[in-house]
């Protein structure tokens, strides 16, 4: 029996079958490989703006209260905090009242205008600066990651397992399809050796380096 | 000559991150699987979120419901809350040994979370201005719903006292703005809650 044409047909058909999943896994793989460089699930835009010291934004407060807030902004009463957040919201054109407001430590007030942290303002009470952050889902990469990381489990576990096995088949069959000087006994073999050596070398270096 | 080296060029281009034609990409595919991020060494080297490794949590348990108290929509994850009495966060942080190993309920504001792997979030007492927080580890019970910072949360879980490495503590302080980075001189003793279920609203 001539097995090479059969292998070639299988390699071709399975190759086509795997294109979609390979792209999903490869894109997600690159995204999560750089997790320390970016937030791959959501895009973020930041804007900084100077609004003024809390004492200046509390227009109806007494001179005595303004003086106290100027020397120690964390002495603000909940009512003053509410007035301050209202002033911030009006200055930056956000709907009032915010969905949630709280202090992150003694120097920052966080105000949330949208769902979750989609539209968030950090007010730095000592400098009077705000940092405004808008977040949007990167829904394509987010969806790819959900599949790659198997976040839902269920039937996808079996599909992902089958895909991994098919990739193994493609790798092995790919080695055997080509004969002659370009095959495993020729330049193909050199590439094969390099490809196998890369992870082994990486593991060895990782193991023996300090 | 060009034709002779074209396949080599394509393989090299693929290694550098370009997309290669299907016939040449075959050898590289298993490497994609090997890059699965569950054991991402880069994240660890960057002193990333330590609880992300060996992620077993899923979104399986995520469900929506109306909060009976406020009428607002809430997201429920993990096991249903059993209705334990609320423990105040300052009380827990003040007497951690009393609560170690006990299952308790906390309520507060979510002030940080792991955006990447959604394996933990941090919460603080409503109205608190000190910056005191408790980190809630949700892996393996559930994944933190995306965009939970700024939401109110009710959570139940077991109290654990851990020693956080200086690099991890610095990562949480600098990368997630919880804690004072200048105060971290070495390993830090922390109170964490290993969550079984939570409601975000």
């Amino acid at each position: 029996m001539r097995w090479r044409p059969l292998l070639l047909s299988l390699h071709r058909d399975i190759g086509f079958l795997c294109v979609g999943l390979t792209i999903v896994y490869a894109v997600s793989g690159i995204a999560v490989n750089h997790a320390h460089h970016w937030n791959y699930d959501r895009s973020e835009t930041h804007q900084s703006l100077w609004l003024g010291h809390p004492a200046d934004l509390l227009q109806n407060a007494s001179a005595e209260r303004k003086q106290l807030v100027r020397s120690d902004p964390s002495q603000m009463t909940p009512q003053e905090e509410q007035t301050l957040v209202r002033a911030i919201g009006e200055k930056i054109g956000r709907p009032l009242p915010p969905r949630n407001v709280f202090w992150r430590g003694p120097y920052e007030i966080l105000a949330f205008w949208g769902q979750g942290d989609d539209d968030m303002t950090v007010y730095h009470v000592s400098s009077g600066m705000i940092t405004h952050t808008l977040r949007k889902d990167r829904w394509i990469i987010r969806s790819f990651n959900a599949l790659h990381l198997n976040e839902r489990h269920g039937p996808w576990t079996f599909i992902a397992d089958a895909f991994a096995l098919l990739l193994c088949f493609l790798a092995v069959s790919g080695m055997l399809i080509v004969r002659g000087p370009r095959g495993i006994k020729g330049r193909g073999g050199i590439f094969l050796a390099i490809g196998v050596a890369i992870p082994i070398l990486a593991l060895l270096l990782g193991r023996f380096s300090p | 000559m060009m034709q002779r080296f074209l396949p080599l060029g394509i393989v090299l281009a693929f290694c550098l991150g370009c997309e290669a034609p299907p016939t040449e990409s075959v050898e590289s595919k298993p490497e994609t699987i090997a890059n699965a991020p569950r054991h991402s060494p880069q994240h660890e080297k960057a002193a990333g979120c330590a609880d992300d490794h060996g992620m077993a949590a899923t979104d399986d348990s995520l469900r929506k419901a109306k909060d009976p108290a406020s009428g607002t929509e809430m997201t429920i994850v993990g096991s249903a809350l059993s209705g334990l009495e609320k423990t105040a966060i300052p009380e827990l942080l003040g007497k951690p040994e009393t609560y170690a190993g006990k299952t308790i309920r906390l309520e507060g504001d979510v002030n940080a979370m792991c955006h990447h792997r959604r394996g933990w979030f941090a919460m603080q007492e409503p109205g608190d201005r000190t910056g005191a927080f408790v980190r809630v580890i949700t892996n393996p019970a559930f994944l933190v719903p995306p965009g939970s910072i700024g939401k109110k949360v009710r959570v139940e879980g077991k109290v654990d006292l851990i020693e956080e490495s200086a690099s991890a503590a610095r990562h949480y302080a600098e990368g997630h703005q919880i804690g004072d980075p200048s105060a971290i001189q070495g390993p830090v003793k922390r109170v964490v809650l290993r969550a079984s279920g939570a409601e975000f609203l």
Side-chain angles (χ1 to χ4, degrees):
Chain A
M1 185 191 165
R2 296 182 65 202
W3 56 270
R4 214 177 288 271
L6 175 69
L7 200 63
L8 184 63
S9 305
L10 283 172
H11 184 91
R12 181 196 59 217
D13 292 345
I14 292 172
F16 281 120
L17 185 70
C18 289
V19 168
L21 277 170
T22 303
I23 289 169
V24 167
Y25 275 71
V27 169
S28 168
I30 293 168
V32 296
N33 217 18
H34 292 270
H36 52 304
H37 290 139
W38 70 320
N39 182 349
Y40 49 67
D41 281 339
R42 306 171 82 199
S43 68
E44 288 184 8
T45 50
H46 302 278
Q47 193 189 4
S48 290
L49 196 67
W50 184 79
L51 284 191
H53 195 272
D56 301 325
L57 296 175
L58 295 171
Q59 288 174 347
N60 295 329
S62 66
E64 192 188 348
R65 285 299 306 166
K66 281 186 178 180
Q67 187 56 42
L68 184 68
V69 170
R70 196 175 293 281
S71 59
D72 182 3
S74 67
Q75 293 297 315
M76 247 184 285
T77 63
Q79 287 73 27
E80 286 168 340
E81 178 192 304
Q82 222 172 0
T83 310
L84 176 71
V85 170
R86 182 171 287 275
I88 294 169
E90 280 167 0
K91 276 189 184 271
I92 62 172
R94 286 292 178 279
L96 293 164
R99 196 179 45 75
N100 197 9
V101 177
F102 57 80
W103 289 64
R104 188 169 60 190
Y107 309 111
E108 289 177 348
I109 297 174
L110 273 62
F112 300 87
W113 313 98
Q115 280 299 309
D117 57 354
D118 291 353
D119 188 356
M120 178 181 111
T121 301
V122 181
Y123 178 68
H124 307 271
V125 292
S126 45
S127 65
M129 291 285 294
I130 61 159
T131 310
H132 198 72
T133 304
L134 285 171
R135 294 189 173 93
K136 278 184 186 165
D137 276 350
R138 299 181 203 273
W139 66 272
I140 293 179
I141 294 179
R142 173 84 208 92
S143 311
F144 283 11
N145 288 342
L147 295 174
H148 188 177
L149 304 177
N150 197 10
E151 287 177 357
R152 286 266 173 188
H153 286 191
W156 189 256
T157 308
F158 301 105
I159 295 170
D161 285 349
F163 175 58
L165 291 172
L166 290 177
L167 286 183
C168 291
F169 170 80
L170 287 174
V172 174
S173 61
M175 284 192 309
L176 303 174
I177 286 169
V178 182
R179 281 186 295 186
R182 292 188 177 185
I184 196 167
K185 290 178 182 168
R187 60 188 276 153
I190 297 168
F191 282 121
L192 174 66
I194 294 170
V196 171
I198 289 170
I200 293 174
L201 213 65
L203 285 171
L204 287 174
L205 290 173
R207 188 180 178 120
F208 297 118
S209 65
Chain B
M1 195 67 175
M2 273 289 282
Q3 277 183 332
R4 198 180 169 94
F5 288 99
L6 188 63
L8 176 64
I10 292 170
V11 171
L12 284 174
F14 185 82
C15 292
L16 291 171
C18 303
E19 199 173 288
T23 48
E24 294 295 339
S25 65
V26 170
E27 287 169 35
S28 299
K29 284 172 187 168
E31 204 173 312
T32 305
I33 292 290
N35 274 343
R38 284 172 192 278
H39 311 285
S40 167
Q42 284 88 350
H43 199 58
E44 196 162 50
K45 274 186 181 166
C49 308
D51 316 298
D52 290 351
H53 303 286
M55 285 288 287
T58 69
D59 272 332
D60 277 351
S61 64
L62 191 145
R63 57 227 185 257
K64 301 269 184 190
K66 276 239 155 87
D67 175 38
S70 63
T72 53
E73 192 176 77
M74 64 178 176
T75 305
I76 306 170
V77 275
S79 310
L81 301 187
S82 63
L84 292 169
E85 201 176 316
K86 177 196 162 186
T87 302
I89 293 172
E91 160 79 9
L92 169 65
L93 295 176
K95 302 177 200 164
E97 285 81 14
T98 314
Y99 291 96
K102 288 184 182 165
T103 301
I104 63 164
R105 175 195 183 99
L106 297 176
E107 293 183 13
D109 295 309
V110 179
N111 59 11
M113 68 175 279
C114 174
H115 287 290
H116 287 124
R117 308 297 305 279
R118 301 192 279 133
W120 64 267
F121 67 90
M123 62 187 294
Q124 63 180 56
E125 187 73 9
D128 181 84
R129 296 180 179 182
T130 63
F133 67 92
V134 171
R135 224 159 49 78
V136 180
I137 297 167
T138 63
N139 181 37
F142 58 87
L143 294 174
V144 184
S148 289
I149 296 176
K151 292 195 173 177
K152 302 255 175 221
V153 65
R154 298 188 278 249
V155 60
E156 288 182 1
K158 198 175 264 189
V159 177
D160 197 1
L161 308 182
I162 62 164
E163 191 175 86
E164 230 167 53
S165 71
S167 61
R170 212 163 284 130
H171 169 75
Y172 296 128
E174 289 170 354
H176 296 278
Q177 285 90 45
I178 45 172
D180 177 8
S182 63
I184 299 161
Q185 304 299 332
V188 182
K189 288 201 185 320
R190 290 264 196 234
V191 183
V192 295
L193 193 75
R194 299 200 181 274
S196 54
E199 295 170 353
F200 293 85
L201 60 160

